[in-house]
Amino acid sequence: MAPGTLQTVRPPFGFLGALEALAEAERGQLPLWMPVALGSGIAAWFLLPGQGAWAAFLLLALSVALAGMVLPWGTRTARAITLAGMLAMLGCALVWWRAERVAAPVLARPVVAAFTGTVERVEPLPARDLVRLTLRPGMEAGLPPRVRVNVAETDVPAGIVAGSRISLRARLMPPPSAALPGAYDFARTAWFQGIGATGRGFAPIRVVAAGDAGNAGLRAALTGHIVARVDGSAGGIAAAFVTGDRGAIDEVDAEAMRRSGLAHLLSISGLHVTAVVVATMTLVLKLLALFPPLALRVRLPVVAAGAGALAALGYTWLSGADVPTVRSCIAALLVLAALSLGREAITLRMIATGALLVLLVLPESLAGPSFQLSFAAVTAIVALHEHPRVRRWFLARDEAVWRRLLRGLASLLLTGLVVEAALMPIGLYHFHKAGLYGALANIVAIPLTTFVTMPLEALALLLDLVGLGAPAWWAVERSLVLLLWIAHRVSSAPGSVAALPAMPDGAFALMVVGGLWIALWRARWRRWGVVPVVAGAVWALATPAPDLLVTGDGRHLALATDDGGMAILRDRAGDYVRSTLGEGGGVTGDLPPLSGQPNARCSPDLCVATRMTGGRRWTILATRSGYAVPWAELVAACARADIVVSERRLPEKCRPRWLKLDRKMLARTGGVAVTLSTGRVTTVRRGGQHPWEVPQTIAPPRAVKNARLFRSRNT
């Protein structure tokens, strides 16, 4: 029954009266903004530089809450403002407390260390021929309490499981911060995971004390079982559908999935959890319906919902409980509870509840692309299908089969387009590229995955119990080969990927606020959300690509070329460095060597390049090797250059006309992006005081101090 008009006290006239009328009209939507208010406090903590700014935000949020209390308390406006201020304050305080609670010392500098440690986690990465080990070194090692090392598969002895104690030698370094402005910041992720060092382990590795073989875990056993039955990346995708482990997917195929807009299929989320829950409920209902005495006395849908809930919880645990899976599990449990109570199940309130729970437990997840992509996609889907016109258009009706099929395809296409529009800003902000044909690819890929691959895989695992799963595994492999073919065809199509250099935080924030405004309100004023969305998009598109990118160690740089690409300084730079520099400049494809450009003159030790932009000619000087250059020659070259880049500490007499980016300067700034036409210089480090930016460091003991040091954190 629809409630009547104003159910609160009569508001004052004027502006407050108009605001109260809007709040009353949108009273059903106001609770949806609770996770947004909480998230705004969390986002403020990440964006603001230090403790003084965080304390100021807490006081500001408190003042907003108090201002709401000053208003007539019986009005919705007063309660909404008060609750928003309190939630924003809670979000900032919660993530601040969480960051301090997980604090652990970080390695002070790169070292080579021999130590003994207890294995916490074993992650096979067969596509890279590596095994990733998370270890807890002993106190005598003088290392951080938790380190992560990659070891070649051939160097890993048999019997290493969680709980094993091993002895090894490893090259360790502090968790690296973002190589460039806007790039992935592993130091932040490692901080919340308690990882104080990362690196590469070397043979020989010796098992000092064997762990319990049962600690290998069902997840690892299932992953190995599936990969052994399906070859190549198809096996890696099959394993990802069951356990969430994507280590066996070749990077080329993973990139094709990302470029085609199908990467969401590799992350266990709503699609996978829904398939498991529906399959479990259907099976339980069919089996229980075979017993009439039971069916007449028990509400079978409620029993099936309970079985589906157990299946969702078990699947979440088995797949590693990542943020998208946890969100999907919470959503599934809420849907099952609503169905059991006879309430409408899939609503925006369900999504808001899931987001609120995740942020209360893991507030740092807000800053990661996984949380943002997951909740943006499901919010866009539900908001679209809650719109009255869309709901009427796609309402089931008595019509010809072909018309019903066309209506379903149109619904899938429209949903795909809306989801792509919602996810594109997030993809461009975090990864600097986004697929353009994802909606079309998903029309085929989602039904293929949901109705063919996953049921066949479940059947194959069941048949394996009696040794008859080979035919089903063959069918699984054929379906995944088709999925990879679709991904490669779509990703290689002309114009399939939109690339953009690092997006300003303000532009991304405008698009997020506008998108939420459109999705969460129902009255006509929701249309005003288009204004910040357009403003943010124009801002992002109008931001010029940087002309020069320099990594934080000074070893690598990329310079813009006249054809719109970027050329790289070191010809033998690895794939990771090349992809990072390309993404930072908004460039797709391979980066040519700077030495081959017509505007550059390079020797084995130095490279001098020119760039004509902003109405003048710029000269950039960079060192290419660790060998010393004659002092007088270097000083003269510096005087002729506008910008000098080096991984070494240059002499004081080296004075370029504008920027001197040597080891000393880059230690303070981190990676640098320079736009020559505007003179804009963006740095990774901006004087922030977040715990991972100024961590408590631990120096290795004397035995390790004498080990060989490494010049680069990114080697």
Side-chain angles (χ1 to χ4, degrees), residues 338-410:
L339 291 175
S340 301
L341 296 173
R343 302 288 298 273
E344 186 177 359
I346 303 177
T347 64
L348 286 174
R349 287 201 178 193
M350 174 199 70
I351 300 169
T353 303
L356 198 63
L357 292 175
V358 171
L359 291 178
L360 287 173
V361 177
L362 296 172
E364 71 274 11
S365 64
L366 177 74
S370 179
F371 177 93
Q372 297 172 16
L373 291 169
S374 177
F375 278 97
V378 71
T379 300
I381 292 172
V382 176
L384 172 68
H385 287 271
E386 280 190 354
H387 193 281
R389 291 184 182 178
V390 176
R391 179 176 291 185
R392 284 197 303 268
W393 175 255
F394 295 117
L395 190 66
R397 61 198 73 187
D398 187 13
E399 58 185 356
V401 175
W402 66 271
R403 291 180 65 89
R404 191 178 308 129
L405 180 61
L406 287 179
R407 196 178 297 277
L409 289 175

Side-chain angles (χ1 to χ4, degrees), residues 638-672:
C638 288
R640 295 191 297 267
D642 297 291
I643 303 173
V644 176
V645 179
S646 178
E647 63 179 310
R648 307 197 299 267
R649 180 167 181 159
L650 297 175
E652 292 295 330
K653 292 291 185 180
C654 176
R655 296 172 182 170
R657 290 191 285 261
W658 185 28
L659 288 177
K660 181 180 177 180
L661 302 176
D662 63 347
R663 179 190 295 180
K664 180 181 178 182
M665 176 62 72
L666 291 171
R668 296 200 305 266
T669 64
V672 175

Side-chain angles (χ1 to χ4, degrees), residues 211-251:
D212 185 357
N215 288 341
L218 179 60
R219 186 186 186 200
L222 265 179
T223 298
H225 178 83
I226 295 170
V227 171
R229 279 155 179 75
V230 183
D231 295 331
S233 292
I237 296 175
F241 287 166
V242 176
T243 66
D245 192 336
R246 290 168 280 182
I249 304 174
D250 187 78
E251 181 57 32

Side-chain angles (χ1 to χ4, degrees), residues 301-628:
V302 176
V303 176
L310 292 176
L313 291 170
Y315 192 33
T316 301
W317 167 79
L318 178 64
S319 61
D322 292 329
V323 171
T325 318
V326 172
R327 188 270 305 163
S328 303
C329 180
I330 293 173
L333 295 178
L334 292 174
V335 168
L336 293 173
L339 291 175
S340 301
L341 296 173
R343 302 288 298 273
E344 186 177 359
I346 303 177
T347 64
L348 286 174
R349 287 201 178 193
M350 174 199 70
I351 300 169
T353 303
L356 198 63
L357 292 175
V358 171
L359 291 178
L360 287 173
V361 177
L362 296 172
E364 71 274 11
S365 64
L366 177 74
S370 179
F371 177 93
Q372 297 172 16
L373 291 169
S374 177
F375 278 97
V378 71
T379 300
I381 292 172
V382 176
L384 172 68
H385 287 271
E386 280 190 354
H387 193 281
R389 291 184 182 178
V390 176
R391 179 176 291 185
R392 284 197 303 268
W393 175 255
F394 295 117
L395 190 66
R397 61 198 73 187
D398 187 13
E399 58 185 356
V401 175
W402 66 271
R403 291 180 65 89
R404 191 178 308 129
L405 180 61
L406 287 179
R407 196 178 297 277
L409 289 175
S411 173
L412 191 59
L413 178 60
L414 178 61
T415 302
L417 290 174
V418 171
V419 170
E420 286 296 321
L423 299 187
M424 185 172 292
I426 302 173
L428 290 174
Y429 179 74
H430 288 284
F431 311 116
H432 313 300
K433 56 186 175 182
L436 298 179
Y437 303 148
L440 297 175
N442 278 289
I443 288 179
V444 179
I446 290 178
L448 173 66
T449 301
T450 307
F451 302 115
V452 179
T453 303
M454 293 187 67
L456 282 173
E457 194 166 358
L459 177 63
L461 289 171
L462 288 175
L463 292 177
D464 273 349
L465 296 176
V466 293
L468 300 176
W473 284 120
W474 178 87
V476 169
E477 184 173 2
R478 293 300 94 200
S479 68
L480 291 174
V481 168
L482 175 59
L483 178 66
L484 285 171
W485 179 83
I486 294 171
H488 281 281
R489 292 287 292 182
V490 172
S491 65
S492 61
S496 61
V497 177
L500 200 70
M503 184 187 301
D505 294 338
F508 180 62
L510 282 174
M511 286 188 278
V512 170
V513 170
L516 289 171
W517 192 271
I518 294 171
L520 301 187
W521 293 129
R522 283 294 170 264
R524 289 186 176 182
W525 68 335
R526 68 188 299 184
R527 300 172 184 175
W528 286 102
V530 175
V531 175
V533 169
V534 173
V538 171
W539 185 358
L541 293 173
T543 301
D547 296 283
L548 177 67
L549 294 170
V550 182
T551 59
D553 57 6
R555 284 180 56 81
H556 303 282
L557 70 78
L559 183 65
T561 58
D562 294 336
D563 60 359
M566 300 200 84
I568 195 168
L569 174 66
R570 297 178 184 261
D571 303 353
R572 297 184 180 181
D575 292 338
Y576 175 76
V577 172
R578 290 177 177 273
S579 64
T580 301
L581 290 170
E583 290 170 2
V587 176
T588 58
D590 195 20
L591 303 184
L594 185 60
S595 57
Q597 299 300 306
N599 60 337
R601 294 180 292 106
C602 297
S603 70
D605 301 319
L606 290 175
C607 204
V608 179
T610 59
R611 170 80 174 151
M612 189 68 187
T613 184
R616 59 161 292 186
R617 181 183 299 274
W618 300 83
T619 303
I620 297 95
L621 171 68
T623 61
R624 302 183 73 199
S625 73
Y627 294 103

Side-chain angles (χ1 to χ4, degrees), residues 108-165:
R109 58 184 179 276
V111 297
V112 172
F115 63 96
T116 301
T118 303
V119 178
E120 274 195 350
R121 188 175 182 183
V122 181
E123 301 174 78
L125 305 174
R128 297 165 55 188
D129 297 324
L130 294 173
V131 175
R132 179 174 292 159
L133 303 175
T134 302
L135 306 171
R136 281 196 172 273
M139 295 295 294
E140 70 281 357
L143 295 172
R146 179 179 291 153
V147 302
R148 197 176 79 178
V149 297
N150 291 336
V151 183
E153 274 184 334
T154 55
D155 294 338
V156 179
I160 292 186
V161 296
S164 300
R165 191 163 179 79

